[in-house]
Amino acid sequence: MKYTAPVQKGDLIEIEITGLGSSGEGVGKYQGFTVFVPGALPREVVKAAIGLVKKSYATAILKEILVPAKERTEPLCPIYKECGGCQLQHLSYEGQLEVKRQQVQAALSRIGHLAIEALPTLGCAKPWQYRNKMQFPAALNAEGRLEIGCYAQSTHSVINTPTCLIQKEANNQVLAAVRAWMEKYNVSAYNEKTGKGIVRHVMSRVGVHSGEIMAVLVVSVYDLPYRQELCAMLREAVPNLVSIIQNINKKPTNIIMGLKNRVLYGKATIKDSLGALSFNISALSFFQVNSEQAEVLYDKALEYAALTGKETVVDVYCGTGTISLYMARQAKRVYGIEIVAPAIEDAKINAKENNLLNAEFICGDAAVELPKLLNSGVQPDVIMVDPPRAGCEEKVLAAMVGVAPERIVYVSCNPASLARDLAFLEANGYKVQAVQPVDMFPQTYHVETVVLMSKVNTNK
């Protein structure tokens, strides 16, 4: 018998919200049928108009809050409802920390089938103005007006953002100066559909501890018009600006950055630090966007690694070596493995500049390089892993199990892929000891998690 959903497009329903979805939207059941309601919170009763109806779920538009949650708060941002940059400003910060813990817990239970409780989320001391990196697209709206800001959620429609409340103030200063320059000199915004126009993205980076600021303009041309005027306006508007970079991206792609940079003013890099370590950051470098919480995250990973100075650590997906070098200060030897060659070059420079001679970086596939290390006589005591959102490839997990470290410290930005990978490791000789969510991105649904796993002693 064919199943028929109990709702149709346009229906106005009353529904109790019982949780949040993976993108921060409210989730409830209507006659046993799952309905997603963006803007609704757990423990609320709302009226919602059904929009999209699928076989196993529907989406709906929030129309009225009949019973509000005590954690509901008024968003500070005037464009919050239109903008897709934040998803949880309508939830108190204490509420955000708890739903992030619940998000991790739900993945552990439902996907990983793991019988362990996630610890309370480690919150951010300053949950506003925390982002040290801004990258906003530029576009013309239907009336021909310039828009620079975040994309509306799940679209490529740009929401004009005069000031972003989660950005460091210097980023907002860069944004205002570039906007004024484009308007004054009629410099065109790039059109994704036609491939015409010049300015694709406005980007900036703040060295939180150094105070140094970099402005980056991602453009579709090499000969940037009015570039001297741009430099003059930026230097006047932004104190501590030490670098202005023109990044050239001529490809018809949604990848933000091109591979070619041109220094228009000052230096090619800025400096920042994490703990006692200093880093050179270029326009293309990866660096955690929340410097203060990155230290909280890395300190927790270091605590779980339990280093005494005698251990060998292998950092899989090491990127530019930030966690590797954090570990190297307290380990006997650290090997970082990363398949992206430019990241490995950055890691080597960072190791040299921090005088950490016990860190070695290898460019290659971890599934290949881990067995090579073992065959060469390297026996890791700890494996550190911080993969992309998709998690670890199974061949990498198998290689980790094959080298049999005493401890695995897993840092994840995606609870679903984390739970899947933990289940594989638990089925292959490891036990989850602790799960610690860390709030790196206040006001959004994103959550980082640090997990400690220990090898099961089969001799007992």
Side-chain angles (χ1 to χ4, degrees):
M1 183 176 177
K2 187 177 180 180
Y3 174 76
T4 302
V7 294
Q8 294 181 351
K9 184 175 182 178
D11 286 354
L12 189 64
I13 64 169
E14 186 175 308
I15 185 171
E16 181 180 357
I17 303 300
T18 56
L20 290 182
S22 59
S23 297
E25 69 275 50
V27 185
K29 295 280 188 180
Y30 181 79
Q31 297 181 14
F33 189 70
T34 301
V35 179
F36 294 94
V37 188
L41 292 173
R43 292 176 294 280
E44 290 189 330
V45 179
V46 304
K47 279 186 178 178
I50 297 295
L52 181 70
V53 180
K54 293 286 192 178
K55 184 177 180 181
S56 58
Y57 72 92
T59 62
I61 299 169
L62 179 63
K63 292 296 185 181
E64 184 181 354
I65 301 168
L66 302 174
V67 180
K70 62 180 175 54
E71 299 88 359
R72 178 171 284 277
T73 189
E74 189 65 27
L76 295 181
C77 179
I79 58 169
Y80 171 62
K81 289 184 179 179
E82 295 79 34
C83 179
C86 298
Q87 303 82 36
L88 296 180
Q89 280 193 29
H90 59 296
L91 178 60
S92 70
Y93 191 52
E94 293 74 16
Q96 291 180 35
L97 297 179
E98 175 55 21
V99 299
K100 290 183 182 188
R101 188 200 70 80
Q102 291 173 3
Q103 182 184 347
V104 173
Q105 187 62 57
L108 293 172
S109 303
R110 297 172 189 169
I111 298 173
H113 306 290
L114 300 168
I116 188 165
E117 288 290 317
L119 294 165
T121 306
L122 296 178
C124 189
K126 297 178 180 178
W128 299 96
Q129 293 189 322
Y130 62 86
R131 284 191 65 96
N132 59 43
K133 179 184 178 184
M134 171 192 72
Q135 49 187 33
F136 284 167
L140 292 180
N141 64 17
E143 289 77 38
R145 289 196 307 272
L146 175 64
E147 311 273 33
I148 309 175
C150 290
Y151 289 121
Q153 185 134 11
S154 303
T155 77
H156 266 214
S157 297
V158 177
I159 302 298
N160 201 46
T161 309
T163 299
C164 180
L165 299 181
I166 63 173
Q167 296 288 344
K168 295 290 184 185
E169 183 53 31
N171 289 333
N172 287 318
Q173 291 170 346
V174 169
L175 179 64
V178 173
R179 187 193 305 276
W181 169 76
M182 291 180 69
E183 291 175 342
K184 181 174 181 177
Y185 294 100
N186 198 28
V187 179
S188 59
Y190 182 77
N191 187 311
E192 285 186 337
K193 294 179 180 178
T194 66
K196 295 180 180 180
I198 294 175
V199 178
R200 299 175 69 129
H201 279 77
V202 182
M203 178 179 156
S204 57
R205 311 190 79 141
V206 176
V208 172
H209 297 100
S210 70
E212 295 183 342
I213 297 158
M214 170 188 287
V216 183
L217 213 60
V218 183
V219 298
S220 62
V221 297
Y222 183 80
D223 292 317
L224 181 64
Y226 303 105
R227 58 181 176 271
Q228 291 182 342
E229 290 82 357
L230 169 68
C231 292
M233 291 177 72
L234 279 167
R235 292 176 64 188
E236 183 179 355
V238 186
N240 298 327
L241 184 72
V242 300
S243 175
I244 302 175
I245 305 293
Q246 175 189 349
N247 176 267
I248 300 148
N249 183 1
K250 296 184 177 183
K251 295 182 178 179
T253 173
N254 59 7
I255 296 172
I256 293 174
M257 304 288 287
L259 297 177
K260 187 173 182 59
N261 286 326
R262 183 183 183 189
V263 178
L264 300 182
Y265 164 76
K267 307 186 297 179
T269 62
I270 61 172
K271 279 192 172 292
D272 203 4
S273 60
L274 290 174
L277 300 172
S278 64
F279 296 91
N280 282 306
I281 305 167
S282 72
L284 295 170
S285 294
F286 170 79
F287 196 74
Q288 293 283 1
V289 301
N290 187 336
S291 301
E292 294 90 345
Q293 279 298 90
E295 292 189 25
V296 172
L297 180 76
Y298 291 177
D299 284 343
K300 183 56 65 173
L302 192 60
E303 175 192 325
Y304 284 174
L307 303 176
T308 65
K310 300 177 181 178
E311 294 83 6
T312 296
V313 179
V314 175
D315 181 8
V316 180
Y317 305 101
C318 71
T320 56
T322 47
I323 298 183
S324 306
L325 299 181
Y326 229 74
M327 299 278 178
R329 296 174 304 160
Q330 297 187 26
K332 179 181 179 182
R333 189 78 182 165
V334 173
Y335 297 87
I337 302 174
E338 171 62 60
I339 203 165
V340 179
I344 285 291
E345 293 309 308
D346 284 345
K348 290 177 179 178
I349 292 169
N350 288 330
K352 185 176 180 180
E353 293 208 348
N354 285 282
N355 199 31
L356 289 168
L357 305 180
N358 60 336
E360 180 179 331
F361 294 96
I362 302 164
C363 186
D365 184 339
V368 175
E369 300 301 332
L370 275 171
K372 277 187 186 178
L373 282 174
L374 191 64
N375 291 336
S376 70
V378 174
Q379 177 56 62
D381 302 289
V382 178
I383 283 185
M384 171 76 221
V385 58
D386 184 4
R389 284 192 64 80
C392 296
E393 296 176 89
E394 190 168 306
K395 64 180 182 178
V396 173
L397 294 171
M400 288 164 56
V401 170
V403 300
E406 287 298 319
R407 292 178 297 287
I408 295 173
V409 180
Y410 193 134
V411 174
S412 170
C413 60
N414 183 351
S417 60
L418 170 67
R420 179 203 67 207
D421 291 352
L422 296 183
F424 179 96
L425 292 167
E426 278 226 339
N428 287 276
Y430 285 82
K431 181 70 176 173
V432 177
Q433 303 292 345
V435 178
Q436 178 63 73
V438 179
D439 188 22
M440 292 281 285
F441 310 103
Q443 318 310 330
T444 81
Y445 64 83
H446 299 289
V447 60
E448 295 272 334
T449 312
V450 190
V451 177
L452 170 63
M453 301 193 82
S454 297
K455 187 169 66 172
V456 176
N457 190 342
T458 55
N459 295 325
K460 289 185 177 181

